[in-house]
Amino acid sequence: MTHFSALSLLKNALTGNKNWTEQWPDAQPKKEYDVIIVGAGGHGLGAAYYLAKEHGITNVAVIEKGWLGGGNTGRNTTIIRSNYLYDESAKLYDHALDLWDNLSTELNYNVMFSKRGVMMLAHNVHDVQSFQRHIHSNRLNGVDNRWLNTAEAKAFCPPLNVSPDARYPVMGAALQMRAGTARHDAVAWGYARAAAKRGVDIIQNCPVISIRRGADGSVEGVETAKGFIRAKKVAVSAAGHTSVIMQTAGVKMPLESYPLQALVSEPIKPIFPCVVMSNTVHAYISQSDKGELVIGSGTDQYVSYSQRGGLPLIEHTVAAICEVFPIFNRMRMLRKWGGIVDVTPDRSAILGKTPVKGLYVNCGWGTGGFKATPGAAHLLAWTVAKDEPHKINAPFTLERFTTGRLIDEAAAAAVAH
Amino acid sequence: MLLIHCPYCDDTLPELEFAYAGEAHIARPADPSKLSDEEWRDFLFIRSNPRGLHAERWRHINGCGRFFNALRDTVSDRFLTTYPAGHPRPDVTKLEAAE
């Protein structure tokens, strides 16, 4: 596997770029592994990487039903932020943000992490009060977030319509400067390459059919389309399909799967300097390095696995974008798509052990899993290797739905996220 | 956009007229104070979330305003049938034979 550097680029350029080697081999399953991870998205591949790098566990397989990074990792709007209200969430997402900072160097892969700032718009008195509460809470947790008045928000993002005549006028905004975007595919590819280099097998086009448990109840391995694969430890990181797989091990999950949609415009010259989110009119927008406006929509109201989603949501989102950014109202949209997100009742993730010995789960990231990728991966690897949660993910248990110790980000933000 | 048949109005109308209201046939416990923590968790939070046939509640909010139930395939989003609230879940094999 070639180490990427200016020198290797130059050398390969001089030989007509004919000597690049594959970035990772397409592995076939062995009979047995120490750890099997179900789902080769950013979270699963990252967990394999941290298992190998930080815990010395290299006999690991990541099993994927489709192609690597083809689920929600390749379908999200690439927004990264950590300005969550509750202490538990702030620590969790800020841990991820710390890892994002150095990820390109660590993986020797440019994940194009760009700290361009995420600005959340306040359109009414409730928004103003709620965001200021978020800002104070964030600052107590050491998470950067500050308040901008309307003029400052306009200066930070010139395309913004701040007219007082707007249906939902901009009354100010919360700005997290450390937040931004990254190239989603590169995150999956970078982790896959770095994990494969340390001996991890990445097995694509191999659906996991069920999880097999032994007579004592503990995990024995997984039944797949390519036969039975033995492992004493199995970690499920399968986003919208997590509850289906967990059910085969007899574990009922507090999850519902919904389609979440996004769309992109035709590419244009750089015009949009940051990420803007508005919970009230429900619009998310940023501009990719290719020049497309990347727009996030909402979840459909009904449970579905269709990876498609309904058009009424797209219409609603685009209407909101045109209201907040009238400059874009003649833009043409190129394509839209959907991913299946697994939503918990309190809109916080579940990351930890399960009632089944040897079975671990990383799920419930809902509409906001991408930003957590390095953090979730790092903490899942820790939990699997040590058979106990790290103190950061210790509150994100499955048991909280029995004890009632919820982390209610749903009520905190009043939107799915 | 889904087209949904309201069993009361006997009309097939766009999804925008309806509000989804979660999984159907989850009965509130008869004697709540007798429930264990696990039973409360199951009632409040655990949902079947199937990849396939799903019994779910809808409300014709911009029409007659009444709740009804539906059987829908969550992979194709195709509705098999809708039926009034309070009726038992229809037998799928009979539905398919009737088609």
Side-chain angles (χ1 to χ4, degrees):
Chain A
M1 205 172 300
T2 320
H3 182 79
F4 295 139
S5 65
L7 191 66
S8 72
L9 276 178
L10 185 66
K11 214 169 77 185
N12 279 286
L14 292 175
T15 53
N17 283 316
K18 284 177 184 154
N19 298 320
W20 288 109
T21 51
E22 63 181 5
Q23 295 195 24
W24 59 83
D26 201 14
Q28 288 306 309
K30 292 189 285 190
K31 282 200 168 56
E32 182 166 2
Y33 291 92
D34 293 338
V35 178
I36 288 174
I37 296 168
V38 181
H43 289 219
L45 292 164
Y49 166 74
Y50 291 114
L51 274 173
K53 177 181 167 254
E54 304 212 333
H55 306 283
I57 302 171
T58 57
N59 188 23
V60 176
V62 186
I63 305 179
E64 167 60 45
K65 72 168 179 168
W67 67 96
L68 178 162
N72 294 349
T73 298
R75 293 166 188 266
N76 63 79
T77 51
T78 79
I79 297 170
I80 295 164
R81 62 184 178 91
S82 66
N83 51 353
Y84 281 71
L85 180 66
Y86 290 113
D87 295 354
E88 296 91 341
S89 321
K91 289 193 177 84
L92 178 66
Y93 289 102
D94 221 39
H95 176 62
L97 203 46
D98 287 343
L99 292 168
W100 276 113
D101 261 339
N102 201 30
L103 196 60
S104 292
T105 314
E106 168 153 9
L107 298 179
N108 180 231
Y109 209 98
N110 187 3
V111 300
M112 297 164 75
F113 177 40
S114 155
K115 288 192 252 189
R116 58 185 67 181
V118 170
M119 189 165 78
M120 300 172 87
L121 302 179
H123 297 281
N124 52 44
V125 174
H126 173 77
D127 283 353
V128 172
Q129 290 170 346
S130 146
F131 286 178
Q132 291 194 345
R133 180 180 175 216
H134 269 73
I135 290 169
H136 294 314
S137 163
N138 286 158
R139 290 173 71 162
L140 287 172
N141 277 316
V143 175
D144 87 293
N145 200 359
R146 65 191 172 94
W147 178 253
L148 303 182
N149 63 30
T150 308
E152 288 168 335
K154 172 76 177 168
F156 189 71
C157 182
L160 186 64
N161 175 22
V162 293
S163 160
D165 301 331
R167 174 69 182 80
Y168 296 100
V170 175
M171 296 176 71
L175 173 66
Q176 184 177 29
M177 243 355 263
R178 259 185 101 197
T181 61
R183 176 73 203 277
H184 50 359
D185 296 322
V187 177
W189 298 336
Y191 272 128
R193 175 171 167 271
K197 193 177 168 188
R198 284 172 167 80
V200 171
D201 279 357
I202 299 162
I203 302 156
Q204 302 180 73
N205 298 310
C206 180
V208 167
I209 297 156
S210 65
I211 295 167
R212 190 196 284 179
R213 293 171 63 181
D216 65 345
S218 61
V219 161
E220 276 188 340
V222 295
E223 296 285 355
T224 74
K226 296 183 179 177
F228 178 68
I229 310 173
R230 192 171 291 281
K232 286 201 172 61
K233 289 182 173 183
V234 172
V236 176
S237 184
H241 291 79
T242 301
S243 66
V244 176
I245 292 174
M246 293 297 284
Q247 197 141 32
T248 66
V251 181
K252 294 182 287 187
M253 297 299 290
L255 291 173
E256 289 194 295
S257 300
Y258 297 95
L260 176 67
Q261 298 177 85
L263 65 161
V264 292
S265 73
E266 58 193 338
I268 49 172
K269 287 185 177 177
I271 183 169
F272 206 77
C274 58
V275 180
V276 170
M277 302 174 59
S278 166
N279 293 347
T280 299
V281 298
H282 211 280
Y284 301 31
I285 184 166
S286 62
Q287 187 173 20
S288 74
D289 293 330
K290 262 192 293 185
E292 301 155 326
L293 296 176
V294 182
I295 298 169
S297 188
T299 50
D300 274 296
Q301 49 177 344
Y302 48 86
V303 165
S304 175
Y305 290 80
S306 68
Q307 287 195 325
R308 203 165 47 227
L311 274 173
L313 281 156
I314 298 290
E315 187 186 6
H316 179 76
T317 301
V318 171
I321 294 291
C322 291
E323 171 73 19
V324 183
F325 302 102
I327 189 176
F328 295 142
N329 67 11
R330 287 168 63 200
M331 289 288 295
R332 282 169 294 195
M333 295 297 141
L334 270 192
R335 55 183 196 280
K336 70 128 192 142
W337 62 91
I340 302 303
V341 298
D342 45 332
V343 177
T344 57
D346 63 358
R347 302 296 188 273
S348 291
I350 301 168
L351 173 47
K353 297 171 73 172
T354 68
V356 177
K357 190 171 179 293
L359 182 63
Y360 306 85
V361 72
N362 168 49
C363 67
W365 292 95
T367 62
F370 177 71
K371 66 173 84 71
T373 303
H378 182 255
L379 297 168
L380 179 60
W382 173 291
T383 307
V384 171
K386 299 188 186 289
D387 195 34
E388 63 178 21
H390 188 281
K391 67 177 194 301
I392 295 176
N393 67 307
F396 293 86
T397 57
L398 189 52
E399 286 76 44
R400 73 177 189 269
F401 297 98
T402 312
T403 63
R405 184 72 179 85
L406 303 180
I407 304 162
D408 202 354
E409 291 289 341
V415 289
H417 57 238
Chain B
M1 170 124 47
L2 304 180
L3 291 174
I4 305 174
H5 184 83
C6 174
Y8 308 113
C9 303
D10 196 21
D11 205 354
T12 302
L13 299 157
E15 174 194 340
L16 290 174
E17 290 211 10
F18 300 86
Y20 179 73
E23 187 169 357
H25 305 299
I26 297 176
R28 188 171 169 80
D31 190 356
S33 61
K34 290 277 188 329
L35 253 56
S36 68
D37 287 351
E38 284 71 25
E39 286 165 330
W40 265 122
R41 174 202 61 196
D42 290 357
F43 170 66
L44 289 174
F45 300 130
I46 303 291
R47 296 294 177 263
S48 63
N49 198 31
R51 186 182 159 82
L53 213 54
H54 189 228
E56 59 197 21
R57 303 195 310 153
W58 286 85
R59 187 180 176 203
H60 192 183
I61 193 159
N62 292 313
C64 64
R66 297 171 73 185
F67 282 91
F68 59 90
N69 294 334
L71 276 182
R72 182 177 54 91
D73 185 315
T74 60
V75 179
S76 65
D77 286 340
R78 193 172 74 95
F79 281 88
L80 267 75
T81 186
T82 57
Y83 51 101
H87 286 218
R89 179 175 169 146
D91 187 346
V92 183
T93 49
K94 279 182 193 155
L95 279 175
E96 278 166 356
E99 269 182 18

